[in-house]
Amino acid sequence: MLIRVSPQYPIKSSEITSESTYQDRRRFLAQMGLATAGMALAGCSDAKTPPPVAPPSAAGTAATDGAASAELAALDVKTKVNMAGAEKVSSFEDITNYNNFYEFGTGKGEPANYAKKLKTRPWSVAIEGECDAPGMIDLEDLIKPHALEERIYRLRCVEAWSMVIPWVGFPLADLLKRFKPNSKAKFVQFFTLADAEQMPMIKRGVLPYPYREAMRMDEAMHPLAFMVVGLYGKVLPNQNGAPIRLMAPWKYGFKAAKSIVKIKFTETQPETTWNAIGAAEYGFYGNVNPEVDHPRWSQASERRLGELFRKPTLPFNGYPEVAPLYAGMDLRRYY
Ligand code: MTE
């Protein structure tokens, strides 16, 4: 079986995939339409066999749709910015029941079910690498200095579906600056929780865990890059990456690491999960680009959950202000 694992994450003998797990994985990939000849593992999903269309639901507004989130604590949101124009905000129901969080299952409805018991307190985040203030920071101390904002952003998954989500959080740049990245810090990497006790799919090994994502420092410092701790004015539901996750709205959703436990500043480009297992399908940059198709499906249009007709995909997901970050780069090569 061929799964590329970085030397940084060598496979322990206890983790070598058993025959039954391998057969399970083959079955899973076949169901997803992913088991192409010679390919042990491919990406998130296959838009040629699109996931079942979620029932159209009444689109919520950030201020309403609270009924389904009644049990989640309200957050003290200081400011609200709509960065999705006149587009309808997706319903709380869709945002929290149509998820990608492979640690809890590969079906879109599985994270809502299996992440219920994820223990999100106490929680701390390790800060490592090229910075002058490394250490371990408790979640409350991490969040406390920041005024929480609501930002309505489009989310575009590499699988060609999309939503509009009222996230609550604060600028990633404001957080990173607190750790004093030094002049060698050219990239920042995010590691997410990999606890087999709480995350039933970890043992199945569909992905190499922990899930890892990264960005160049200048991308991470862009004002649009957001550290998310909530949505719809409430604490983040577990299936959406509680207690803390990333959101860089101009990038495909796979860049938005959930349930972050470590932030590491690096001098060289670090490995990222989907890129490591399928570089031809999931570029390091992961910028939304209607002109660069996934090798197995078009990225020119997308299916917005809760809407009937596909809509054209916008370059950088409709956030052209990030384009200067990529000035002079061939975006067909650096996708
Ligand atoms: N983070 C972790 N830890 N595990 C995952 O499987 N999936 C990614 C991203 N972050 C994923 C993850 C993908 S492919 C997408 S599209 C988004 O989470 C989905 O976020 P959502 O479920 O809140 O819409």
Side-chain angles (χ1 to χ4, degrees):
M1 198 208 41
L2 291 166
I3 289 193
R4 279 206 285 138
V5 177
S6 132
Q8 221 187 329
Y9 301 94
I11 303 183
K12 294 187 211 133
S13 58
S14 58
E15 290 168 350
I16 291 173
T17 311
S18 69
E19 176 64 14
S20 63
T21 306
Y22 172 75
Q23 292 304 348
D24 272 4
R25 185 181 295 151
R26 296 293 302 175
R27 257 193 301 281
F28 157 70
L29 291 172
Q31 277 164 12
M32 304 272 290
L34 293 177
T36 55
M39 193 188 302
L41 190 64
C44 288
S45 178
D46 185 348
K48 281 181 193 153
T49 49
V53 178
S57 51
T61 70
T64 59
D65 206 5
S69 64
E71 71 281 10
L72 294 162
L75 292 168
D76 181 16
V77 178
K78 300 287 188 205
T79 49
K80 298 190 175 194
V81 187
N82 177 5
M83 301 208 59
E87 293 171 47
K88 278 190 211 159
V89 177
S90 302
S91 70
F92 182 84
E93 180 71 12
D94 282 345
I95 296 169
T96 58
N97 286 281
Y98 193 88
N99 298 106
N100 276 340
F101 201 165
Y102 275 27
E103 291 86 330
F104 293 104
T106 50
K108 293 287 183 272
E110 284 178 311
N113 192 16
Y114 296 114
K116 279 192 185 111
K117 289 188 188 145
L118 174 68
K119 202 166 165 270
T120 58
R121 295 291 190 285
W123 191 278
S124 48
V125 178
I127 312 299
E128 293 182 2
E130 301 295 348
C131 65
D132 295 340
M136 189 67 113
I137 183 163
D138 183 71
L139 185 73
E140 275 68 35
D141 296 332
L142 188 149
I143 298 174
K144 215 185 304 164
H146 303 275
L148 296 183
E149 306 171 29
E150 176 178 275
R151 289 212 192 160
I152 302 181
Y153 278 156
R154 294 175 205 96
L155 165 72
R156 170 61 157 80
C157 179
V158 72
E159 298 164 340
W161 53 264
S162 64
M163 296 199 214
V164 175
I165 304 184
W167 302 110
V168 176
F170 48 89
L172 175 61
D174 292 351
L175 178 69
L176 297 184
K177 280 180 207 155
R178 286 170 61 195
F179 309 125
K180 303 188 177 18
N182 64 33
S183 59
K184 284 187 182 165
K186 301 284 185 271
F187 295 86
V188 56
Q189 189 179 22
F190 302 87
F191 294 73
T192 79
L193 184 71
D195 178 357
E197 293 300 311
Q198 300 193 72
M199 300 171 139
M201 280 298 278
I202 294 247
K203 287 184 186 130
R204 305 281 285 275
V206 171
L207 292 179
Y209 296 105
Y211 192 99
R212 282 152 283 135
E213 258 312 330
M215 283 188 265
R216 261 180 8 210
M217 274 304 278
D218 58 340
E219 297 178 288
M221 300 306 269
H222 192 278
L224 284 183
F226 207 49
M227 212 69 237
V228 170
V229 296
L231 60 85
Y232 264 112
K234 306 273 182 93
V235 161
L236 199 59
N238 289 354
Q239 61 270 37
N240 292 93
I244 190 157
R245 71 172 289 173
L246 262 183
M247 183 43 59
W250 69 98
K251 292 179 176 289
Y252 290 119
F254 67 87
K255 299 296 294 179
K258 293 176 163 183
S259 305
I260 292 167
V261 292
K262 183 160 86 179
I263 299 176
K264 184 175 180 184
F265 298 97
T266 66
E267 191 170 8
T268 52
Q269 183 175 308
E271 193 181 81
T272 57
T273 297
W274 284 102
N275 185 247
I277 62 172
E281 308 201 340
Y282 309 99
F284 171 80
Y285 285 91
N287 290 329
V288 176
N289 190 342
E291 289 176 8
V292 176
D293 287 339
H294 185 282
R296 290 178 287 123
W297 59 82
S298 162
Q299 294 291 24
S301 69
E302 64 200 55
R303 179 173 65 84
R304 174 69 50 84
L305 261 79
E307 293 182 16
L308 270 183
F309 301 106
R310 293 182 77 83
K311 52 199 319 141
T313 287
L314 302 170
F316 298 117
N317 204 22
Y319 299 102
E321 56 270 54
V322 298
L325 290 171
Y326 310 103
M329 282 174 67
D330 175 359
L331 296 182
R332 294 193 163 272
R333 185 161 170 230
Y334 297 101
Y335 51 87

